[in-house]
Amino acid sequence: MRSMRRLPSLNALRAFEAAARHQHFARAAAELNVTHGAVSHQIRALEDSLGTALFRRSGNRITLTPEAQRLLPVLTESFDRIAEITGSLGQDDSADHITIACAPALAAKWLVPEMADLTERHPGLTIDIAPRQDLTWLEPGRRPTEDIGDIIIAYGRPDPAAPGFLALPDNAFFPVCSPRLTHGPRAVKRPQDLLRHPLLHDDDGTGWRRWLAEAGVVSPHDLRNMRLGNASLTLDAAADGLGIALGDTILAEADLAAGRLVAPFSTRVAAPGAYFLLRPALSRDSSTRDTVANWLADRLRARLT
């Protein structure tokens, strides 16, 4: 007869796995929908149970101990496998096709890179990404007028009463540019130095006017501007050294992490709207759709906090 397994608390293991994967307690708390203190408490309890430290703490920074590095991949693989199996139970073929509608820039800069993790979690799921330019809704209370997707990621001023509404944290804008523009005779060192280069826009210029005012920069009448079709093109143009763009945490993160873009200043201005998710009513079972929507919302929340 197999002896009874002696395992640590599942909640403690989940808290450790999320914190170790993110290397950040606050992001783990956002993913698990608990407080930062709850994550810290669970990890301390796990360390006491195991009799070993799992993190080295230095201020707000944490690093994994050798014991944590051994434990993390085993837990991640196990939790992914459990999620895959439990997510497939009771599902029929009609639930294995999901259409996600979002703005082209969000699709290119954030959603497509996330698809590798999503398809690993749901290997039998067919995903269609539907880029839409008309998902910026700055009029309060607006809702989709047609069936454009099983999951809709929109931007603007949401209607909390809309079907399947999932709120996300507020966003902020800040200048980004190619690293090449931070040195040389026209180097961007101070906010005033931005005026030496074209300012790249994907709106009517409102965003840049607000940021320059916040930074105390007076815009001259001969300000050089370049307008592009959407935020993705604007960020790509900035990475190519054509000028300075306004980025945000979601759209600019991958380029910043890769070193294609840098953020020369810490000043940020609040965005006029926020990202949010909608799950329109469906006639068929939508448990898979809801699982995917909640997972996407968690990823966005972790990025925005």
Side-chain angles (χ1 to χ4, degrees):
M1 178 181 297
R2 177 179 292 178
S3 60
M4 181 180 296
R5 294 185 178 92
R6 299 180 60 85
L7 297 174
S9 161
L10 179 59
N11 285 338
L13 291 173
R14 290 183 66 213
F16 161 75
E17 192 274 338
R21 178 162 34 85
H22 289 292
Q23 294 195 32
H24 200 285
F25 280 16
R27 291 175 185 167
E31 176 180 318
L32 298 174
N33 197 28
V34 299
T35 65
H36 182 288
V39 170
S40 297
H41 173 76
Q42 292 287 358
I43 290 173
R44 283 196 298 271
L46 180 60
E47 289 177 326
D48 290 342
S49 172
L50 298 177
T52 187
L54 296 173
F55 295 101
R56 296 189 182 95
R57 298 162 176 83
S58 176
N60 292 327
R61 296 174 58 85
I62 60 172
T63 57
L64 276 63
T65 64
E67 291 79 9
Q69 293 173 13
R70 291 173 55 198
L71 182 58
L72 176 60
V74 175
L75 285 180
T76 299
E77 181 179 357
S78 299
F79 286 146
D80 285 347
R81 184 60 177 159
I82 291 170
E84 175 188 332
I85 296 299
T86 56
S88 67
L89 297 178
Q91 300 295 313
D92 57 28
D93 291 341
S94 65
D96 290 337
H97 184 279
I98 298 292
T99 298
I100 304 172
C102 67
L106 188 65
K109 294 295 186 180
W110 179 79
L111 182 56
V112 170
E114 292 288 339
M115 287 299 97
D117 284 346
L118 183 57
T119 54
E120 283 184 8
R121 290 173 176 268
H122 301 277
L125 183 64
T126 297
I127 300 170
D128 287 345
I129 297 176
R132 303 274 302 212
Q133 284 280 25
D134 57 347
L135 294 179
T136 298
W137 304 340
L138 294 179
E139 304 87 355
R142 179 176 170 182
R143 301 187 185 186
T145 56
E146 57 179 304
D147 184 12
I148 61 176
D150 301 306
I151 300 169
I152 300 169
I153 308 176
Y155 172 84
R157 299 171 187 163
D159 175 6
F165 172 76
L166 289 174
L168 297 171
D170 293 335
N171 201 2
F173 293 109
F174 48 91
V176 293
C177 64
S178 166
R180 300 195 302 273
L181 300 189
T182 60
H183 52 82
R186 299 168 61 214
V188 176
K189 300 292 186 182
R190 304 169 302 157
Q192 292 82 356
D193 297 335
L194 294 172
L195 305 182
R196 301 176 178 178
H197 302 272
L199 300 185
L200 309 177
H201 304 265
D202 62 279
D203 62 6
D204 61 0
T206 300
W208 265 118
R209 287 192 293 272
R210 291 179 60 220
W211 192 91
L212 292 171
E214 180 69 21
V217 178
V218 177
S219 303
H221 293 296
D222 60 348
L223 187 68
R224 289 183 292 166
N225 296 291
M226 182 184 298
R227 288 181 172 81
L228 295 99
N230 62 53
S232 179
L233 292 175
T234 302
L235 293 172
D236 287 344
D240 288 338
L242 297 182
I244 318 292
L246 280 181
D248 65 43
T249 305
I250 297 296
L251 299 183
E253 175 66 21
D255 288 324
L256 289 169
R260 297 184 68 235
L261 291 173
V262 295
F265 310 112
S266 60
T267 300
R268 299 188 174 204
V269 295
Y275 289 107
F276 56 97
L277 275 76
L278 299 176
R279 296 160 294 166
L282 300 176
S283 59
R284 60 178 171 82
D285 176 26
S286 60
S287 57
T288 298
R289 185 272 312 266
D290 290 343
T291 298
V292 172
N294 283 305
W295 183 84
L296 291 171
D298 286 343
R299 302 288 276 205
L300 284 164
R301 290 185 187 114
R303 185 70 64 84
L304 288 166
T305 54

